[in-house]
Amino acid sequence: MKASSVTDLLIAHRWDQAVGSFNSSMKASYTADSLKLAWGQVEAQFGAYVSRGTTTRVKPSANEVVFDTPLSFKDKAGKSRIAFDIAGNISSLNILPAGAA
């Protein structure tokens, strides 16, 4: 599943490869360096990364497909939420608290 692979790229700090999956709008807003900075902010808030769970599809819509992947950090649980546009490129990527809707 592509969402799992992208989450694994974030975990492995492979910023350039993760950005390569972004759509043009996301590429205009985020670089590998800004993604690295964002991950640092996540770890400052949640603690060091520990492990990830199984990716599941959520929030189906006509324009995008959204997946959540549970993430365990040292201080609290979170999840990656990755949306793909109809072309299969990432249209949004967020790290959220585990209970976020």
Side-chain angles (χ1 to χ4, degrees):
M1 183 175 298
K2 191 172 181 180
S4 297
S5 297
V6 173
T7 300
D8 289 341
L9 291 173
L10 296 174
I11 292 164
H13 301 173
R14 296 169 76 180
W15 317 120
D16 289 325
Q17 287 179 292
V19 170
S21 299
F22 289 1
N23 68 14
S24 58
S25 177
M26 287 285 290
K27 284 181 181 177
S29 299
Y30 296 97
T31 65
D33 286 339
S34 64
L35 195 58
K36 178 182 178 180
L37 179 64
W39 186 260
Q41 292 170 340
V42 166
E43 288 196 320
Q45 180 181 0
F46 290 80
Y49 168 78
V50 176
S51 65
R52 79 163 176 86
T54 302
T55 302
T56 57
R57 183 178 175 171
V58 296
K59 295 187 177 182
S61 77
N63 297 326
E64 63 184 6
V65 181
V66 181
F67 296 90
D68 282 356
T69 303
L71 299 171
S72 295
F73 294 91
K74 182 179 179 241
D75 297 330
K76 63 181 176 177
K79 62 183 169 184
S80 69
R81 176 166 289 160
I82 302 174
F84 294 90
D85 61 21
I86 57 173
N89 297 308
I90 295 173
S91 56
S92 72
L93 186 158
N94 296 285
I95 306 297
L96 307 167

